[in-house]
């Protein structure tokens, strides 16, 4: 969070693009993102990505073009390295030094009425091969639970949102062909 906030303070451009040290952009990333920002009413854009496990690379394509704050409550599918946003808006906010700092910022921006376009075009490669802190499922789940508790207290809706979050996290780690094969071979039991 501190490095991102320092970068935002130092930025002067009309747009800000994020890139984590273990991720990279495909050559068309900025062109596609900037074109969408300049031709629409959106303040930030996130693209789809390839996910690299170090052994395999598989696509993670967005299912919806628009994201609301309620979508984030069930799991953050916004890859920070794919985000390009209005520089003025970006500089007026900061990342909190808490778990899920990126999701928290996207939630605040969406709550404040800023619009996010989720482009299905793959322009980013996200590396999940290292044992980064945000990739530790139990820690991420605890961060998400704490975030939901901040929003809702001890409301029972947290159980539903956490179940959705965990299911989403598990499904992200299982390639689509394996999920489809499971459903196909087990369809009679549904």
């Amino acid at each position: 969070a501190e490095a991102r906030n320092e970068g935002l303070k130092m930025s002067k451009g009309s747009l800000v693009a994020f890139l984590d040290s273990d991720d990279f952009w495909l050559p068309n990333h900025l062109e596609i993102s900037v074109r969408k920002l300049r031709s629409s009413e959106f303040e930030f854009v996130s693209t789809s990505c390839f996910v690299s496990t170090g052994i395999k690379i598989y696509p993670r394509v967005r299912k919806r073009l628009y994201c609301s704050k309620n979508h984030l409550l069930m799991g953050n599918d916004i890859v920070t390295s794919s985000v390009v946003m209005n520089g003025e808006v970006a500089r007026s906010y900061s990342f909190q030094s808490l778990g899920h700092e990126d999701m928290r910022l996207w939630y605040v921006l969406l709550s404040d009425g800023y619009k996010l376009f989720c482009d299905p075009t793959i322009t980013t490669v996200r590396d999940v091969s290292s044992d980064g802190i945000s990739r530790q499922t139990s820690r991420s789940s605890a961060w998400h639970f704490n975030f939901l508790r901040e929003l809702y207290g001890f409301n029972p809706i947290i159980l539903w949102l956490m179940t959705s979050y965990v299911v989403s996290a598990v499904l992200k780690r299982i390639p689509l062909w394996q999920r489809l094969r499971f459903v196909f071979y087990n369809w009679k039991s549904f």
Side-chain angles (χ1 to χ4, degrees):
E2 292 170 20
R4 288 177 181 162
N5 288 334
E6 193 60 34
L8 285 173
K9 284 182 200 171
M10 294 171 56
S11 71
K12 303 211 184 314
S14 62
L15 299 175
V16 172
F18 298 98
L19 181 62
D20 290 345
S21 63
D22 54 352
D23 300 340
F24 64 90
W25 296 330
L26 298 178
N28 61 349
H29 174 68
L30 291 175
E31 177 188 345
I32 288 170
S33 299
V34 169
R35 186 179 328 123
K36 189 62 188 175
L37 276 174
R38 295 230 163 109
S39 69
S40 68
E41 73 280 2
F42 298 97
E43 286 80 21
F44 58 129
V45 173
S46 174
T47 59
S48 294
C49 67
F50 284 114
V51 176
S52 170
T53 64
I55 298 169
K56 291 168 59 172
I57 295 179
Y58 60 92
R60 197 163 90 199
V61 179
R62 300 211 171 277
K63 297 174 189 82
R64 57 184 167 266
L65 298 178
Y66 308 100
C67 183
S68 73
K69 64 181 185 176
N70 294 331
H71 292 123
L72 289 177
L73 297 178
M74 293 179 277
N76 180 18
D77 66 346
I78 301 170
V79 176
T80 301
S81 290
S82 77
V83 173
V84 177
M85 65 184 301
N86 176 296
E88 189 177 318
V89 171
R91 285 185 288 278
S92 62
Y93 290 85
S94 63
F95 290 92
Q96 298 176 1
S97 292
L98 300 166
H100 277 346
E101 67 270 3
D102 51 352
M103 186 195 77
R104 289 171 180 268
L105 179 58
W106 312 144
Y107 185 85
V108 168
L109 288 166
L110 292 167
S111 295
D112 288 351
Y114 294 108
K115 296 183 205 94
L116 166 66
F117 182 76
C118 299
D119 194 319
T121 309
I122 295 176
T123 67
T124 308
V125 177
R126 181 166 187 235
D127 183 359
V128 297
S129 61
S130 65
D131 192 27
I133 196 162
S134 65
R135 295 179 186 107
Q136 297 173 9
T137 306
S138 60
R139 185 170 279 177
S140 283
S141 295
W143 288 339
H144 197 73
F145 177 77
N146 289 334
F147 177 66
L148 293 173
R149 205 174 64 197
E150 288 170 24
L151 293 174
Y152 293 105
F154 286 99
N155 188 317
I157 196 166
I158 290 177
L159 295 173
W160 179 76
L161 292 170
M162 277 306 295
T163 301
S164 296
Y165 176 79
V166 170
V167 167
S168 174
V170 167
L171 290 177
K172 281 183 195 175
R173 287 160 177 77
I174 301 172
L176 178 61
W177 68 269
Q178 287 180 331
R179 287 184 265 160
L180 292 174
R181 191 174 82 181
F182 174 81
V183 170
F184 178 75
Y185 287 114
N186 297 291
W187 69 273
K188 289 181 183 175
S189 61
F190 289 116

